[in-house]
Amino acid sequence: MMQNTPPRQLPVRLPPVADELLSSWINRHAAFYAVPPLVMLRHCLPKVVSLRAADLHLSRDQEIRLASMFSTDPAVVRRMTFGNVVQSSHRLLAAGPAQVCTNCSLGHTEPAPILRSQLLGWRITCPLCANQFRDSGGRELPSPFRQYRGVALRGEKLLDEEAERGIG
């Protein structure tokens, strides 16, 4: 256990966006409370050294602590991390948003939420709406490989199942 005393809940909790990354959710709370994101993280989880570490590796106790502080279920916190992505696939996770779905992007809000799928290097379509991703600037680039779209979608599914569910 991290501590014997239960953590105090934050007075205001912003609801997570579908498929939002944990560090993005913490960052949005930090902006609301006008503190740096790392200060917000350390307030919640004193032993976690970075937002990226929180996205990649949270213990069950840390999930429970965060869930308690943000008045939510630990499963909600777990779904915002890459805890289900097998270690060998971590090299396919981008450090920052590499792609965007023009349907699901909430770029008009400040700070804009970052979705987990924006960092999944093997995805070519949005897992929420199946729209094709665009580059991080929102531009659709012409592809000489359009005739391989069906094969690419099958490959995306295979990689997704391997990386996120451990199904070989």
Side-chain angles (χ1 to χ4, degrees):
M1 286 299 229
M2 292 194 64
Q3 289 181 348
N4 290 338
T5 60
R8 271 189 36 205
Q9 293 179 344
L10 295 173
V12 174
R13 182 187 72 88
L14 306 173
V17 173
D19 194 41
E20 186 169 13
L21 188 61
L22 179 62
S23 58
S24 170
W25 196 45
I26 291 171
N27 186 45
R28 290 192 308 115
H29 280 88
F32 176 83
Y33 286 106
V35 298
L38 196 54
V39 169
M40 177 60 73
L41 175 66
R42 292 274 171 85
H43 173 72
C44 300
L45 300 171
K47 294 182 181 179
V48 176
V49 295
S50 71
L51 290 167
R52 177 84 172 167
D55 288 337
L56 295 174
H57 310 285
L58 276 188
S59 70
R60 182 74 176 132
D61 287 343
Q62 290 169 328
E63 288 173 0
I64 292 168
R65 181 179 171 91
L66 272 177
S68 176
M69 293 192 81
F70 288 101
S71 307
T72 192
D73 188 76
V76 171
V77 173
R78 189 175 318 108
R79 278 192 301 271
M80 288 192 275
T81 71
F82 292 115
N84 62 328
V85 174
V86 293
Q87 184 70 33
S88 61
S89 297
H90 280 197
R91 69 185 188 284
L92 299 175
L93 299 173
Q99 52 204 16
V100 66
C101 174
T102 54
N103 284 349
C104 300
S105 174
L106 297 174
H108 58 278
T109 61
E110 279 298 320
I114 298 171
L115 308 182
R116 284 179 76 253
S117 55
Q118 290 180 275
L119 278 63
L120 301 176
W122 61 87
R123 292 210 59 94
I124 60 172
T125 60
C126 176
L128 301 175
C129 72
N131 195 29
Q132 187 165 342
F133 278 128
R134 295 175 184 242
D135 72 2
S136 58
R139 297 178 303 268
E140 182 178 4
L141 301 175
S143 172
F145 306 109
R146 286 193 199 278
Q147 70 270 24
Y148 301 113
R149 179 166 166 75
V151 174
L153 290 174
R154 174 77 177 128
E156 175 189 69
K157 184 177 188 285
L158 290 171
L159 287 167
D160 197 50
E161 287 175 354
E162 170 71 26
E164 297 226 37
R165 293 169 201 72
I167 300 170

